[in-house]
Structures are given as structure tokens and as C-alpha cells.
Amino acid sequence: MTDLETRAAPGSAALRRAAPALLGYAAVRALGLLALALWSAARDKSAYTLLTARWDSLWYVRVAELGYGYEVRLPNGDVHSNLAFFPLLPWLERLLHATTPLSYAGAGFTVSLLASLAAAWGIFAVADHVYGRRAGVCAVLLWAVLPVGIVQSMAYSESLFTALAAWSLYAVLTGRWVTAGALASLAGLTRPVGLAVVAAVWVSGVLSFVRDRSAARTEGAQTAARAPQSPPGAPPRRAPTPGGGGVAERALGLLLAPLGAVGYVLWVGHHTGKGPLGYLDVQAGWRNGFDGGYAFARFIIDKFTSIPSAFAGLGLIVGVALLLWLYLVCVRQRQPLPLLVYAGVVLALALCASSYFGSKPRLLLPAFPLLLPLALALARLRTPRSALVVAGVAVASAVYGAWWLNGSGPP
């Protein structure tokens, strides 16, 4: 079996190819959970509670247990409604709770653990397809050792979304348009940033139609130039229709892609009686919105009002600059268009949201294509050196994750 065939092979062959990446990912996550357990025990806290029953995890459990309609009215008049949380994760929590002895919180934790492995495999599949197996392994390990990588093991929707996004992008890259559209639709039922997956599928699909049309015209012109003139009165020669059945498959994929997100947003509008834009009102109650980054810029500027906080502001500027630089490197390295569109939309939505600035690191977790330039650089190192780098960063990430989750953590 050739290298290319192995990359595309289903079942056990694909799993064997991804095994080093998945084993490495599991080891890093196990280290993170161990560090969290030790740190939490030292502070007389439950690591399991931190992972399953705080912040957004509680909102997802309420949706799974009670359905939609729960809201909290804050003293300042803001209304936090559970309609802000997309339904796929609560649906899976409800399904697992109904079919196993797991609690709703335990079901959410289980879904996240399994989804994080599926996400790691999807990231490997994408990176392997584009840059080769070694880069694929490095990409997965880099995703695992991100400073807020502990979120991948929480009863949150980041792991589930990343799994759906990665496999949808892989389906686009390998020409499986119906699969890509179906997974994009599920991603759209998971998080608002599902828009990024839909955009990647649509831009890639539309441009493929344009390329087919252009290729057909070129082929037709070349055929006409080579062919003898038709006799008078004969019907004109026609260029062959490009794509064949692939056209229908692509069209179906494009049709499926937005259904999840659009369906949920329209349902929220109907449920609230506020029409198609009702979901925006729900988000406004959480002070969430898209302002082009103005509020985030003000947040950073306000950090420079004192010397201690100025270092935090400087760190934020460096972090944003690094993200933008990585995206430019992705463009210069000519990553496939679906990856560039997806990463660009995730990056824009994360940086330009108007609230919950502390959430931005975890909102960027799904933007795994930004890690591919670093994965390529790591793959060029000799194995002992790259292993040493990953091990050192993994330890630092595990300690940071334990400290972070026992402190402020994700809002």
C-alpha cells in the first residue's frame, strides 16, 4: 500500500497510522489530569467537579436535564438565557444519561474525553494529508500541550466541535462533500463558531465549481482549435460537462453544511418570538457581540493604567501578534484554502467578540491549522530533540492547567 493510499485508508489501517499521535495525545492529557488531581487535592477541591460542574458545564447540564427556557436575571438587568448554548452536546449528554448509569455531568465528561480523541485523530488526518505523518503527529501533540489544553478534558463543547470541524475539513480535502456538509451541519449545532466550518465548505465548494467551469471552457476552446470545422448546417459541438455525479455530491454537501446552525438560530427566533435575529438578542443578554475587536482593544489599553497590569497588557499584545503572524505564515506556506478560511474565521470571531475576554484562549482551541507551521518546524528536528521539547512543554502546560482551573479558570 502506498503512502497516499495509507493516508486515505479507512478503519484499522488509518488507526494504525494515527496510533503514535493518539497515544502521545492520551499521555499528555493523562499528565494534565494527574497534575489537576494533585493540585486540587492539595487545595481540598474535587478535580472531577472542576471538570464537570462549573461555568458552562452547568448550563449544558441544565439544557440536557430540563430543556431550554432557563434564564438568570442579573442585578444590572442582563438576562443570561440557556438558549445561548447550542444543543448537540446536551443532546449527547441526555442520550448517554438515558442509556448508561452516568449522570448528566458524567455523560458530558465522557463525551468530551471521547470527542477529544476524535479531534486529535481528525487533526492528525488533516496534517498528515497535507504535510505527512510526522507533521501530523507533531500537530496533535502541539494541540495537546496548549496552555489551556485542560479544557479539552472538561464537559465543554470545544473538543466536540474541534472533532467535527477537523473531520469536516478532512472530508473537503479528500473530496467527500456530503460527509463534509453533514459534519459541518453538526458543527453548526455545537457552537456559534460552526460558521467557520460552513464558510470553509462553501468557499471550497463554490471555487471548485468555478474551477470546473473554467477548465471546461479551456478544454472546449482547445478542442475547437484542434477539431475540423463543422460542415454547414451541422449542430455545434459541445464541450463535455465537468464533474459528472460529483457536481450533485458537491451541491448536496453545500446544502447540508449550514442546516444545523441556521436551523437552531431560526428555532431560537421562533421560540423567543423575536424573528430570525432572536439569537442575537439572546447573546446580547450575555453581552456577547461582534464589534470588530473594539472592546478587546479597549480591554488591552486599560491594562496600561498601572505597572503590574501593564505586563499583562504587553503579554496580550504579544499573544495577538503571534496569532496574526502564525496565520500569515499559514498563508505564505499555502495551506489548502479550506484550512485558511476556517482558521481565519475562528480567529476573527475569537478576537473580535465584545465580551468575556478571559475566554479567548479557549475559544481559539479549535483553530488548529494555526499550529501547522509550528508542527512543521518541530517535525524537522531529530526525534530525541522534538520529544524533549514536547515533554517540557507538556509538563509546563499540565502545571498551568491545574493552577488555572483551581483559580480563575474559564468563565
Side-chain angles (χ1 to χ4, degrees):
M1 183 177 287
T2 66
D3 184 64
L4 182 59
E5 290 171 339
T6 303
R7 294 183 203 178
S12 59
L15 181 59
R16 284 196 301 271
R17 186 171 180 84
L22 298 179
L23 291 173
Y25 177 79
V28 172
R29 289 272 40 85
L31 177 64
L33 292 174
L34 176 62
L36 176 65
L38 295 175
W39 195 294
S40 301
R43 294 173 58 88
D44 198 26
K45 290 185 178 181
S46 166
Y48 182 74
T49 299
L50 292 176
L51 292 168
T52 63
R54 292 183 71 185
W55 304 296
D56 290 5
S57 301
L58 292 175
W59 288 91
Y60 284 119
V61 164
R62 288 193 186 101
V63 174
E65 185 176 6
L66 305 173
Y68 284 106
Y70 177 83
E71 62 183 33
V72 175
R73 187 174 295 274
L74 303 184
N76 65 356
D78 289 344
V79 177
H80 287 185
S81 168
N82 65 359
L83 289 168
F85 295 87
F86 277 49
L88 185 57
L89 177 57
W91 286 348
L92 294 175
E93 289 178 344
R94 184 179 299 177
L95 176 64
L96 268 183
H97 173 73
T99 56
T100 69
L102 292 170
S103 66
Y104 287 107
F109 181 61
T110 302
V111 169
S112 290
L113 286 182
L114 296 176
S116 67
L117 287 171
W121 193 355
I123 292 170
F124 171 81
V126 169
D128 179 30
H129 180 79
V130 178
Y131 295 118
R133 187 183 191 187
R134 188 175 176 86
V137 173
C138 292
V140 170
L141 293 177
L142 288 174
W143 191 66
V145 302
L146 288 173
V148 294
I150 190 66
V151 174
Q152 297 162 14
S153 300
M154 295 179 68
Y156 270 44
S157 60
E158 273 76 11
S159 290
L160 178 61
F161 174 79
T162 304
L164 294 168
W167 283 108
S168 179
L169 292 171
Y170 179 73
V172 172
L173 293 173
T174 54
R176 299 174 173 90
W177 291 97
V178 175
T179 300
L183 292 174
S185 185
L186 291 174
L189 282 171
T190 307
R191 297 185 62 82
V193 75
L195 172 65
V197 190
V198 176
V201 173
W202 264 79
V203 170
S204 303
V206 169
L207 285 182
S208 72
F209 282 125
V210 172
R211 282 195 298 267
D212 282 356
R213 189 178 183 88
S214 177
R217 287 176 177 174
T218 302
E219 183 178 350
Q222 292 173 345
T223 302
R226 291 193 302 265
Q229 294 295 321
S230 299
R237 299 175 184 270
R238 295 184 179 180
T241 303
V247 173
E249 184 183 0
R250 272 176 285 175
L252 180 57
L254 296 185
L255 178 65
L256 289 173
L259 291 184
V262 171
Y264 181 67
V265 168
L266 291 178
W267 178 83
V268 170
H270 174 74
H271 183 78
T272 58
K274 297 182 178 180
L277 300 181
Y279 183 76
L280 297 181
D281 290 337
V282 171
Q283 286 285 9
W286 288 80
R287 302 242 172 158
N288 278 332
F290 187 88
D291 63 0
Y294 175 78
F296 188 38
R298 292 296 311 170
F299 174 77
I300 294 176
I301 292 171
D302 289 344
K303 292 291 184 183
F304 290 90
T305 55
S306 65
I307 295 299
S309 64
F311 288 104
L314 184 61
L316 288 171
I317 292 174
V318 171
V320 171
L322 176 62
L323 290 169
L324 297 177
W325 175 75
L326 282 174
Y327 187 74
L328 289 176
V329 173
C330 293
V331 174
R332 287 203 302 268
Q333 291 180 347
R334 297 188 177 184
Q335 277 189 17
L337 183 64
L339 303 186
L340 293 176
V341 172
Y342 168 76
V345 175
V346 173
L347 187 60
L349 291 176
L351 295 182
C352 298
S354 60
S355 188
Y356 294 104
F357 307 114
S359 299
K360 292 190 183 297
R362 72 174 177 88
L363 296 180
L364 287 162
L365 269 178
F368 68 89
L370 297 179
L371 298 174
L372 294 185
L374 300 178
L376 282 173
L378 187 62
R380 294 188 187 104
L381 300 178
R382 293 187 176 182
T383 299
R385 181 171 297 182
S386 60
L388 183 62
V389 170
V390 170
V393 179
V395 171
S397 174
V399 172
Y400 176 81
W403 169 82
W404 181 60
L405 209 54
N406 275 276
S408 61

